[in-house]
C-alpha cells in the first residue's frame, strides 16, 4: 500500500507490472476491453450496437466506484512504459461467499501471450494470502481455454461445479486453497 493523500492506495508491483486503482482516464481502457470481448460473452458484458457503455459512462462508473473485496480490481500497467494493458484483482464471489472472493482478469489482445495475466494473478494471489483469505474462486466460460491455462499456472483447480448456459457456454468454477 502506498499513502496517497488521506487514504492508502493499493499498488502491487512485479518486475514487469504495476497494479493500481482505477482512474477516470482508464475509461478508455475499459471501453477498449469491452470492444475486444468475444461475441460469446453475455450481452450485458459487451457493448450494445449503439456503443453503450460509452467512454463517458465508463468514466462515471469509475468515479462512483463499487464495493469490492480488498484489493479490488486493479489496472495493470507495464512498469517501463506505464502503458495500461488490462486489469486483475478480486471481486465478490458470484455464489455469495464473501470469505472466498473471485479473482478476475482481462487484458487487451495486443498483450496476450506474454505471461502478463499469470504474473498479475500471482501478485494478487499473494496479496490475498497476506490479507488472510483462505481460498479464492474463478468462474470461467467453458470455451475460454486461455483463462484455464492461466488458472492452472497459478495453482487453481477445477471444482467440478458448473452453471449450464446453452447460449453463452457453461461457467466452470475453479478454486485455489491458499
Amino acid at each position: 500500500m502506498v499513502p496517497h493523500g488521506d487514504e492508502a492506495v493499493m499498488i502491487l508491483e512485479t518486475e514487469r507490472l504495476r497494479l493500481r486503482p482505477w482512474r477516470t482516464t482508464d475509461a478508455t481502457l475499459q471501453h477498449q476491453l469491452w470492444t475486444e470481448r468475444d461475441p460469446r460473452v453475455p450481452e450485458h458484458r459487451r457493448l450494445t450496437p449503439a456503443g453503450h457503455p460509452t467512454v463517458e459512462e465508463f468514466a462515471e462508473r469509475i468515479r462512483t466506484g463499487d464495493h469490492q473485496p480488498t484489493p479490488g480490481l486493479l489496472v495493470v500497467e507495464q512498469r517501463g512504459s506505464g502503458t495500461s494493458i488490462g486489469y486483475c484483482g478480486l471481486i465478490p464471489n458470484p455464489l455469495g461467499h464473501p470469505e472466498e472472493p473471485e479473482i478476475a482478469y482481462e487484458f487487451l489482445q495486443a498483450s496476450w501471450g506474454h505471461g502478463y495475466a499469470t504474473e498479475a494473478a500471482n501478485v494478487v494471489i499473494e496479496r490475498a494470502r497476506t490479507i488472510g483469505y483462505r481460498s479464492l474462486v474463478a468462474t470461467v466460460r467453458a470455451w475460454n481455454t486461455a483463462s484455464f491455462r492461466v488458472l492452472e499456472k497459478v495453482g487453481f483447480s477445477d471444482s467440478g461445479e458448473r452453471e449450464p448456459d446453452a447460449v453463452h457456454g457453461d461457467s466452470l468454477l475453479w478454486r485455489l486453497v491458499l
Side-chain angles (χ1 to χ4, degrees):
M1 304 254 301
V2 175
H4 179 62
D6 294 333
E7 61 185 64
V9 174
M10 174 72 62
I11 295 178
L12 304 175
E13 293 184 324
T14 70
E15 185 176 317
R16 300 184 302 160
L17 304 174
R18 174 177 289 113
L19 286 73
R20 60 156 178 85
W22 290 83
R23 302 176 190 136
T24 54
T25 54
D26 296 315
T28 309
L29 168 68
Q30 188 69 38
H31 191 268
Q32 186 175 354
L33 287 164
W34 279 50
T35 300
E36 293 183 356
R37 285 192 172 157
D38 188 288
R40 293 171 286 187
V41 169
E43 290 82 9
H44 71 278
R45 296 197 63 235
R46 287 187 282 136
L47 296 180
T48 67
H52 293 280
T54 64
V55 171
E56 294 77 23
E57 289 166 336
F58 279 119
E60 182 60 23
R61 288 180 183 184
I62 293 167
R63 204 174 358 271
T64 58
D66 57 354
H67 177 70
Q68 297 176 354
T70 301
L73 286 181
L74 301 169
V75 172
V76 179
E77 297 177 333
Q78 295 173 318
R79 281 185 68 177
S81 67
T83 302
S84 299
I85 58 173
Y87 65 79
C88 184
L90 300 179
I91 60 174
N93 183 330
L95 303 177
H97 302 289
E99 71 282 356
E100 189 179 54
E102 179 174 0
I103 193 166
Y105 47 86
E106 183 174 14
F107 289 81
L108 295 172
Q109 291 177 9
S111 67
W112 292 2
H114 298 282
Y116 296 134
T118 302
E119 191 171 331
N122 272 322
V123 74
V124 167
I125 290 166
E126 187 51 42
R127 182 67 184 138
R129 188 177 282 118
T130 302
I131 290 169
Y133 289 114
R134 294 179 183 219
S135 60
L136 301 175
V137 296
T139 54
V140 180
R141 298 285 173 179
W143 47 261
N144 193 343
T145 57
S147 281
F148 293 139
R149 286 193 299 274
V150 170
L151 291 172
E152 287 171 346
K153 289 177 188 175
V154 299
F156 278 76
S157 57
D158 186 346
S159 72
E161 295 178 51
R162 308 276 186 278
E163 183 179 313
D165 185 334
V167 176
H168 303 291
D170 295 354
S171 285
L172 286 62
L173 182 71
W174 286 54
R175 182 169 277 115
L176 172 65
V177 176
L178 299 174

